[in-house]
Amino acid sequence: MFLNYIEAENDITNKENIYEIIDDNGNIEIFLSLDGSQINNLSEEDKLNITKIVGDDYLSKKLNNARGRGEYFNEYGSVQRKVFKGFAGNQPVIGTQFPTGGGFYWSYSEGPEASLSIDFSGLSKYLDGLSVSVNLGVSGSFGLFANAPTTTDYYKLYVEREYDCTPYVTYYRNSTGEVSAFGKNIIKVHVIDRAYSKKS
């Protein structure tokens, strides 16, 4: 599911810099039109601001508007840099040989998943972790290119996907003002992808 964007005053989080938002049941993945070095130069406040804009937009569309009773609100934890690693999908078990030279093209959509644990540091009530997953993509006919170093060896396409992950807890406030925890999830801001030809 793709979410509509909410306008923000901060230049770094304006519409031009958020070009894709994917929602998988609250596990939200954000792609920015910034390269990895630009994202690395963002302040923690900017990163959290991007997360809050998208997370609060998701909340208003999915819960507050849909349910119409009481109020839901989010609390955001600390931003954590994570690297998801593994072999891309759509590859022979023994790997691929490139007798005349060449390499792999990698596309990030679909493919096997890599999972990591995110702790809920910075949040008042949730101290336990939550597993978050990222697709490792597939080897195909277009996308990021990974050169094979030799023409005699067999290689497989290996991927590293880097994200800034922010945990959040959703709370519900009923008509009498009583607050209870409703759920928790992760928002991921994509930083950079790396693809390698790894010897089988």
Side-chain angles (χ1 to χ4, degrees):
M1 174 186 176
F2 294 88
L3 302 178
N4 293 327
Y5 179 80
I6 290 181
E7 286 291 343
E9 293 179 2
N10 188 335
D11 284 344
I12 208 67
T13 57
N14 65 22
K15 188 173 183 179
E16 288 72 29
N17 285 329
I18 299 179
Y19 74 87
E20 186 176 8
I21 302 170
I22 301 173
D23 163 29
D24 182 15
N25 295 319
N27 183 2
I28 299 170
E29 192 167 351
I30 304 169
F31 292 87
L32 303 176
S33 56
L34 304 171
D35 63 32
S37 62
Q38 290 173 308
I39 295 174
N40 282 331
N41 287 331
L42 294 176
S43 68
E44 291 302 307
E45 183 180 355
D46 282 333
K47 292 176 183 177
L48 195 54
N49 191 33
I50 291 169
T51 298
K52 286 180 177 179
I53 288 169
V54 176
D56 289 348
D57 185 27
Y58 167 84
L59 185 69
S60 67
K61 285 179 168 58
K62 284 288 203 165
L63 297 177
N64 289 325
N65 290 350
R67 295 172 184 260
R69 293 183 179 180
E71 177 194 11
Y72 294 86
F73 61 94
N74 289 335
E75 181 185 7
Y76 297 89
S78 303
V79 180
Q80 301 163 52
R81 178 66 57 89
K82 296 289 182 178
V83 181
F84 300 81
K85 305 176 182 181
F87 289 105
N90 194 31
Q91 299 190 76
V93 175
I94 63 169
T96 303
Q97 185 187 52
F98 298 90
T100 59
F104 300 96
Y105 284 98
W106 173 77
S107 173
Y108 71 80
S109 62
E110 302 180 347
E113 290 186 342
S115 298
L116 292 173
S117 178
I118 304 293
D119 69 72
F120 274 65
S121 60
L123 290 168
S124 57
K125 294 186 179 180
Y126 278 91
L127 301 178
D128 54 329
L130 187 69
S131 178
V132 61
S133 299
V134 165
N135 288 333
L136 293 175
V138 295
S139 174
S141 57
F142 65 92
L144 187 64
F145 183 72
N147 185 59
T150 73
T151 59
T152 55
D153 295 310
Y154 284 82
Y155 294 91
K156 294 185 77 173
L157 180 60
Y158 188 80
V159 178
E160 293 180 359
R161 308 199 67 195
E162 199 165 312
Y163 285 81
D164 284 327
C165 301
T166 304
Y168 69 97
V169 176
T170 300
Y171 295 94
Y172 172 71
R173 182 185 289 112
N174 66 20
S175 58
T176 66
E178 183 181 359
V179 174
S180 58
F182 178 78
K184 59 181 181 177
N185 224 311
I186 305 290
I187 294 178
K188 308 186 294 283
V189 177
H190 177 259
V191 178
I192 196 169
D193 293 317
R194 304 177 186 91
Y196 309 93
S197 294
K198 197 168 187 177
K199 193 172 177 181
S200 299

